[in-house]
Amino acid sequence: SEEMLIAGHAVFQGELRDMVRRRPPRMFSKWGESLMTSNSTNEDEEGGAQRRPQMYSGGDDVGQAEGPVQRKYGYAVCISPDYEPKLNLEPYHELHFRVRTDGRMYIINVQCESVDPSDLWSAYLIAPANEWVTVQMDFSKLMRTAYNRLKAHQSRINKKEIISFGITCTGAEGPFRFEIESIKAVCKSKAEVDAQIKRERELKAESYARMKQRQERQREIERKRTLALRQHRQR
C-alpha cells in the first residue's frame, strides 16, 4: 500500500477543568511549548521559523464569538497550521494514526475546503491506555460536524483540498496525554479495496436480512393479536 506521511512525533497534553466562561483566549504556541510538544521541526520557506499550531482550552463554547457556554465541561483543542498549498489526499483511502494515549476518548477533526467554513469531518479515536497502537480511520467514516455537533445533511469529505487536522479532548476533569508517532494517509491496493467493498455489501445484506426478519416477526405478532381479538369477540 502506498502511503504519505502527514505528521511526525508530537504530544498533545494538559489538564481539563470544568468551566463556565465566555469564549476562552486562544493560545498560539510553537511546537515544543504549551499544550503541544514535538521533536519535529516544520520550517517555512522564507525564514526558517516554525509554523505554529493553534491551541485553546476552556469551556464548551467553541466557535461562539460571545455569550455563555451551553454545557459545563472543559475542552482542549490543538489544530495544525493550515496547509499551503492544501493537501490533495484524493488517491488515499485511510488515515493511520500511530498513537499512545491515556485511554480517554478523543475526537479527530479534518478541515477541508467547503461551502461552510465551520464544517469539520470528525471521528472518535479510542485506544488502550499507555500502549502504542495504529488506529485506522477510513475517510468514508468521517462525519460532517460543526461546533461539536453532527450536521443533519451529511456529505463526503473533499479529499482534494485538506486544510488542517485537529485533536479535541473533552470530558472529565484531570490531566490528559495524546502522543503521536505519525499520521499517514494510506492508499489501499485494488485487492484491499475490492475486499472492503465486498465486506460492506455483505454487512448491508446481513442488516437487510435482519430487518426483514424483524418485520416478519412483527407481522406474525400482529396476525396472532388480530386473530385472538376476533376469537374473543365471537365468544
Side-chain angles (χ1 to χ4, degrees):
S1 300
E2 296 181 6
E3 58 184 39
M4 171 183 174
L5 181 64
I6 296 174
H9 183 267
V11 178
F12 177 39
Q13 62 182 354
E15 185 171 356
L16 292 184
R17 298 182 178 87
D18 288 339
M19 299 183 183
V20 181
R21 58 184 294 184
R22 293 180 181 272
R23 184 174 178 83
R26 292 189 174 187
M27 297 181 293
F28 295 85
S29 173
K30 295 181 180 179
W31 301 97
E33 298 177 359
S34 189
L35 295 178
M36 175 71 92
T37 63
S38 173
N39 295 330
S40 63
T41 58
N42 194 352
E43 298 183 348
D44 60 26
E45 296 179 356
E46 297 180 356
Q50 289 181 323
R51 298 172 65 195
R52 310 199 325 170
Q54 195 174 30
M55 307 177 201
Y56 45 94
S57 62
D60 179 36
D61 55 354
V62 179
Q64 299 178 13
E66 58 183 12
V69 299
Q70 301 298 315
R71 294 188 296 274
K72 300 177 183 178
Y73 56 75
Y75 71 87
V77 180
C78 185
I79 304 173
S80 73
D82 290 352
Y83 291 100
E84 291 293 344
K86 298 178 179 68
L87 284 181
N88 181 4
L89 301 182
E90 182 63 24
Y92 301 93
H93 302 94
E94 291 182 333
L95 292 171
H96 287 193
F97 296 83
R98 183 67 178 171
V99 298
R100 180 170 61 186
T101 78
D102 51 13
R104 281 179 179 266
M105 181 172 66
Y106 291 86
I107 302 173
I108 301 299
N109 301 306
V110 184
Q111 185 182 16
C112 67
E113 193 66 40
S114 176
V115 175
D116 186 345
S118 68
D119 281 350
L120 295 174
W121 275 258
S122 307
Y124 290 110
L125 188 152
I126 305 174
N130 304 316
E131 294 182 21
W132 281 106
V133 294
T134 300
V135 179
Q136 299 179 9
M137 191 174 294
D138 197 294
F139 278 109
S140 64
K141 305 301 182 184
L142 295 172
M143 304 297 289
R144 188 182 180 200
T145 66
Y147 307 127
N148 289 335
R149 292 173 176 82
L150 197 64
K151 301 198 78 169
H153 175 69
Q154 290 293 308
S155 60
R156 287 188 177 272
I157 187 171
N158 175 14
K159 294 192 292 181
K160 291 183 178 181
E161 297 178 288
I162 301 297
I163 297 173
S164 65
F165 288 84
I167 307 167
T168 300
C169 177
T170 186
E173 287 185 290
F176 65 88
R177 181 179 175 87
F178 186 104
E179 187 172 0
I180 302 169
E181 181 178 295
S182 64
I183 303 175
K184 297 178 180 179
V186 177
C187 181
K188 299 178 183 176
S189 66
K190 185 178 184 304
E192 290 174 319
V193 173
D194 291 343
Q196 181 179 353
I197 293 174
K198 180 181 178 182
R199 180 55 181 160
E200 289 177 351
R201 287 175 177 172
E202 290 173 350
L203 291 173
K204 287 182 180 179
E206 292 172 4
S207 177
Y208 180 76
R210 288 194 297 269
M211 181 188 70
K212 295 294 287 184
Q213 290 174 356
R214 288 195 298 270
Q215 291 176 342
E216 188 61 33
R217 287 196 298 267
Q218 187 63 32
R219 282 195 291 266
E220 183 64 18
I221 291 171
E222 291 295 331
R223 187 187 68 80
K224 291 181 179 179
R225 185 178 299 165
T226 301
L227 181 60
L229 182 59
R230 287 177 181 174
Q231 292 174 347
H232 177 72
R233 289 175 177 175
Q234 290 173 356
R235 291 176 183 174

